[in-house]
Amino acid sequence: MATFAVTPASEEQHAAWQSRTAMPQVERVRPGLWSIPVPIPVNPLRYVLVYALELPGGVAIIDAGWNTDEAYQALAAGLAVAGYTIADVKGVLVTHIHPDHYGLAGRVREDSGAWIALHPADAALLHDRYDDGAIDLLVEKERRLLVRSGVPDATLEELAGASMMIRHMVSMARPDRLVADGESLDLSGWDLRAIWTPGHSPGHLCFVSPSRRVLFSGDHVLARITPIVAVHPQSSPNPLADYLDSLAAVRKWDVDEVLPAHEYRFLELAERVDHVLAHHEERLAEIETVVAGAASGISCWAVATRLTWSRPWETIPAFMRRAANNETLAHLVWLEARGRVRRVAGEVDLWGARDFM
């Protein structure tokens, strides 16, 4: 696939990302809007970009960061550069419930009285995902999915519980507000509208300001990488279909700048969306070719091991191998829904061409 490079909206932010080690500076993006990097521990993404929107008498923030002291202090320090404190936060708009976006929201609310807003589809997942009494069942559901994917016994338990290492990065907090698709947020001085963009998460939200011509894209559209879109116990039945439809939902907006949660801000929304769509078409074709070459059927795990990844398969950490398997499954489900591959269910599901078995 031809390479397409977006134009960075901030050279300093772009240079910090390229350095692989440096944190970007707190930046005043434009009047009334700040970008605050909050560190993510032991993660190649390194930081989440929290956006502070100035309001009369305070700020609203989009996302919050992980629930660590380091992250909390970085958020507080970033707000101080803008002239505010944690106590000045009036609301936390959470793009989705992954720990690097939602984790600190509860702690911010405790210290400021801010409201927390989520899409209903993500709010419905909180109990099973983060309540101590429910998490074991979620891990067991993941384990069953991995068994049906053909994950070897030797790595099954490690992969099933891989996400437990970041469970403590979240302060469980029920939302105060549920935000629907197309809803206009009541933020003084801002014409902010919610766009429901499921795929990476069932309740992922982007936010657009038509007058300021900016899109806050969360993890939905990033400058260089593509978000994980995977089948898992809390996903929709066909998350890749949701994601591709959601890309179309944001592409139609005419904005000057995209403000993502990771990497760096950039300019060309439509062109970046088109490139991501082309990437998934290429991936679907690659998977279809692998499946067609397996006359007696092939497991999802075996397909994943034969695909092109950013590094050799044997060097990918356990958590990311699980993500790779579940991403592969999302592409297989998409192909199955369109009659391009066939699944034969069993203790291990086998995938084949349309005339398979």
Side-chain angles (χ1 to χ4, degrees):
M1 183 172 63
T3 301
F4 168 72
V6 295
T7 304
S10 165
E11 287 300 335
E12 187 280 331
Q13 201 175 73
H14 181 234
W17 173 259
Q18 286 189 310
S19 77
R20 300 182 182 273
T21 56
M23 289 281 287
Q25 299 296 311
V26 176
E27 287 189 281
R28 183 174 180 263
V29 178
R30 56 187 64 196
L33 174 60
W34 296 82
S35 169
I36 301 172
V38 174
I40 305 173
V42 196
N43 189 295
L45 290 174
R46 303 200 326 265
Y47 53 83
V48 62
L49 295 170
V50 173
Y51 297 100
L53 287 60
E54 293 186 3
L55 309 172
V59 293
I61 60 174
I62 296 178
D63 289 331
W66 295 60
N67 183 28
T68 66
D69 289 341
E70 181 187 10
Y72 184 89
Q73 291 160 9
L75 178 59
L79 288 170
V81 173
Y84 299 95
T85 68
I86 295 289
D88 295 316
V89 178
K90 306 300 182 185
V92 185
L93 294 164
V94 182
T95 59
H96 60 296
I97 60 168
H98 293 167
D100 52 328
H101 301 259
Y102 163 78
L104 262 181
R107 190 169 171 183
V108 170
R109 181 171 64 185
E110 288 176 6
D111 292 348
S112 67
W115 45 260
I116 298 172
L118 278 171
H119 186 275
D122 265 17
L125 305 177
L126 288 173
H127 169 73
D128 290 352
R129 190 180 187 95
Y130 294 127
D131 275 345
D132 291 338
I135 192 67
D136 287 345
L137 179 58
L138 191 63
V139 172
E140 177 57 26
K141 288 179 179 178
E142 179 67 39
R143 181 183 176 280
R144 293 174 199 162
L145 183 150
L146 295 173
V147 168
R148 293 190 63 179
S149 295
V151 173
D153 290 342
T155 59
L156 181 61
E157 299 306 325
E158 181 184 17
L159 266 63
S163 60
M164 292 301 291
M165 63 183 179
I166 59 173
R167 167 66 184 82
H168 68 286
M169 302 293 188
V170 174
S171 173
M172 177 63 173
R174 305 288 179 190
D176 306 286
R177 300 175 59 175
L178 298 179
V179 178
D181 183 34
E183 182 175 336
S184 294
L185 283 303
D186 183 20
L187 298 175
S188 181
W190 286 86
D191 59 337
L192 207 64
R193 182 180 299 182
I195 310 170
W196 181 36
T197 50
H200 180 58
S201 177
H204 191 288
L205 287 169
C206 294
F207 301 98
V208 64
S209 171
S211 68
R212 302 188 191 219
R213 299 177 60 82
V214 295
L215 174 75
F216 300 92
S217 65
D219 282 0
H220 186 56
V221 185
L222 303 170
R224 293 179 60 260
I225 61 174
T226 55
I228 294 171
V229 178
V231 171
H232 56 80
Q234 289 195 318
S235 73
S236 69
N238 193 340
L240 183 58
D242 296 339
Y243 179 67
L244 298 180
D245 288 344
S246 297
L247 286 174
V250 298
R251 191 191 187 283
K252 67 182 183 181
W253 287 96
D254 185 15
V255 297
D256 295 330
E257 187 173 339
V258 182
L259 290 79
H262 300 291
E263 299 182 326
Y264 49 88
R265 307 193 309 277
F266 63 94
L267 305 184
E268 300 92 350
L269 173 61
E271 291 85 351
R272 178 58 183 156
V273 167
D274 290 345
H275 188 74
V276 173
L277 289 168
H279 160 76
H280 282 286
E281 286 294 338
E282 185 180 76
R283 187 57 132 191
L284 288 162
E286 183 183 13
I287 289 172
E288 197 170 10
T289 298
V290 171
V291 170
S296 57
I298 188 171
S299 71
C300 177
W301 179 261
V303 173
T305 65
R306 288 162 170 77
L307 299 179
T308 304
W309 300 100
S310 61
R311 69 191 83 172
W313 179 260
E314 60 274 8
T315 68
I316 299 175
F319 178 77
M320 295 309 297
R321 286 194 193 187
R322 188 179 85 176
N325 177 82
N326 293 6
E327 276 197 279
T328 302
L329 183 56
H331 286 76
L332 286 166
V333 166
W334 190 96
L335 289 166
E336 178 188 34
R338 282 148 184 81
R340 288 167 56 177
V341 301
R342 184 181 176 197
R343 170 169 33 182
V344 175
E347 182 177 349
V348 175
D349 294 342
L350 293 179
W351 298 85
R354 287 177 294 181
D355 57 352
F356 170 61
M357 296 183 66

